[in-house]
Amino acid sequence: MAEAALVLGAGGITGVGWEIGVLHGLAEAGVDLWTADLVIGSSAGSVVAAQITSGKLTSAELYERQLADPRGEIPGRLGAPMILRYARAILSSRTPEAYGRKLGRLSLGTRTAVDESARREVIAGRLLSHEWPQSRLLVTVVDALTGELKTYDKDSGVPIVDAVTASCAVPGVWPAVTIDGRKWIDGGVHSTANAHLAAGYRKVVVLAPMAAGNKVLVSPRAQAARLAAEGARVEVITPDTAAKKAFGRNSLDPARRAPAARAGREQAAAHAEAVAALWAQ
C-alpha cells in the first residue's frame, strides 16, 4: 500500500477556515499533516489543499491569514428555495451521478450574482500560488451534464485556479466553470469528502466540515469505514459543537471564516494524540 493521504472535504468558506485551524492546531501539537504523500481536496478542501501544498506559508502564517479581514470575498447563500431544490434532487436520485446531473441542470439554469470571471478572481485571490505543486494533489469536480466525478492534477493540463474554481462552484450560488468546452460544478456534489479516492493508502486522515450523508451521498465516516475494511488506518475529524456554533447558519459567509478557524484550532487538541499515533506508523 502507498503511505499517507490527507483528505480535505467540502464546507464553504467556514470549512476553509475550520480545516486550516485544525491543521494548524495539530501542527502546534507536533503533528504535521502537510507531509502527506497525497492530498485530496473537494470544494472548500480544494482551496485548503492548494494552499498547504504550495509551500508558500507555514501553518501559523496560513492560520493568521484566516483571521484577517476577508477582503475580496463575495458573500453567498443557499436560500430556503434552493435548499428545497437540493432536497428534491436527493429524494429523486438513486446515485451520486443522478444527483449530480440534477444539480448540474440547476446550476446551468440559475443566474448567479457573479459571472465565471469574477468568481475566478475571488478564488485566485485565495490561492498562494497559481502553479500546481510538485507533490500529489487531486482536486475534485463534477461534470454538470453527466454528474460524474473527475479529478484534476498537475498532469491534467488544466490551470490550478480553474480546477479549484470549478471544485468550489456551488450549484445555484456560483456559476458552473468552463474547462475544455465542458461545464463543471462543485466536487462536493459527489460526496462531501470523496475519501474513497484515498483507496490504497496505508494511513488516511479525513477533515470533513460536512459530516452527514444521505441515501445518495456516502458520508465521510462511511467512506472511512470502507477504507479501513481494505486495510487502511483512518482518522476522521468532523466539527464539534463549538465549531458548528462558530460556522453559524451560513457556511458561505466570509465573516464566519475567522471564528471557524479559531474553533478548528481549539478542536485540534482533542484529536492530536490519535492523529499523531496514526501518522507516526
Side-chain angles (χ1 to χ4, degrees):
M1 299 180 76
E3 280 299 309
L6 173 61
V7 178
L8 301 168
I13 196 165
T14 58
V16 172
W18 177 79
E19 289 180 354
I20 290 174
V22 171
L23 290 170
H24 177 51
L26 291 173
E28 289 181 307
V31 189
D32 185 5
L33 298 185
W34 300 33
T35 61
D37 302 291
L38 168 68
V39 181
I40 300 165
S42 298
S43 196
S46 72
V47 174
V48 179
Q51 290 175 330
I52 68 173
T53 58
S54 72
K56 298 291 185 181
L57 295 179
T58 65
S59 70
E61 290 168 333
L62 189 52
Y63 173 73
E64 288 299 323
R65 198 169 184 249
Q66 309 314 300
L67 307 183
D69 180 11
R71 286 176 293 180
E73 293 287 347
I74 302 172
R77 174 177 288 277
L78 273 173
M82 195 62 69
I83 291 173
L84 180 59
R85 294 181 70 178
Y86 272 60
R88 287 173 175 166
I90 289 172
L91 293 173
S92 60
S93 300
R94 294 186 177 182
T95 66
E97 291 76 20
Y99 178 61
R101 288 193 293 273
K102 288 180 171 64
L103 288 197
R105 288 196 293 271
L106 184 157
S107 177
L108 298 176
T110 302
R111 174 177 287 186
T112 55
V114 296
D115 61 16
E116 279 190 60
S117 62
R119 178 61 176 163
R120 188 183 191 278
E121 286 184 15
V122 171
I123 300 300
R126 291 182 187 175
L127 303 190
L128 303 170
S129 171
H130 294 174
E131 301 294 331
W132 286 95
Q134 289 306 304
S135 56
R136 189 154 189 245
L137 165 63
L138 296 181
V139 172
T140 68
V141 295
V142 168
D143 189 309
L145 295 182
T146 69
E148 294 176 330
L149 180 70
K150 181 181 176 63
T151 60
Y152 287 120
D153 62 15
K154 65 178 183 291
D155 298 320
S156 65
V158 172
I160 191 170
V161 176
D162 292 339
V164 174
T165 305
S167 191
C168 295
V170 180
V173 179
W174 309 122
V177 173
T178 307
I179 300 175
D180 293 334
R182 299 188 68 84
K183 293 287 189 177
W184 304 91
I185 58 173
D186 197 299
V189 166
H190 190 269
S191 82
T192 59
N194 292 305
H196 64 289
L197 296 174
Y201 280 76
R202 189 170 64 84
K203 49 191 179 182
V204 183
V205 174
V206 181
L207 303 190
M210 299 173 67
N214 53 52
K215 78 181 189 73
V216 176
L217 306 183
V218 182
S219 72
R221 292 196 182 278
Q223 290 181 332
R226 293 179 185 178
L227 293 175
E230 295 168 358
R233 288 283 308 277
V234 189
E235 286 289 336
V236 180
I237 302 176
T238 59
D240 61 13
T241 301
K244 292 176 183 177
K245 183 177 180 180
F247 292 175
R249 295 184 178 182
N250 180 14
S251 66
L252 303 178
D253 180 2
R256 305 308 302 173
R257 184 182 68 185
R262 294 188 183 96
R265 183 186 186 187
E266 290 295 321
Q267 184 180 346
H271 302 276
E273 183 176 354
V275 174
L278 180 150
W279 214 243
Q281 291 191 352

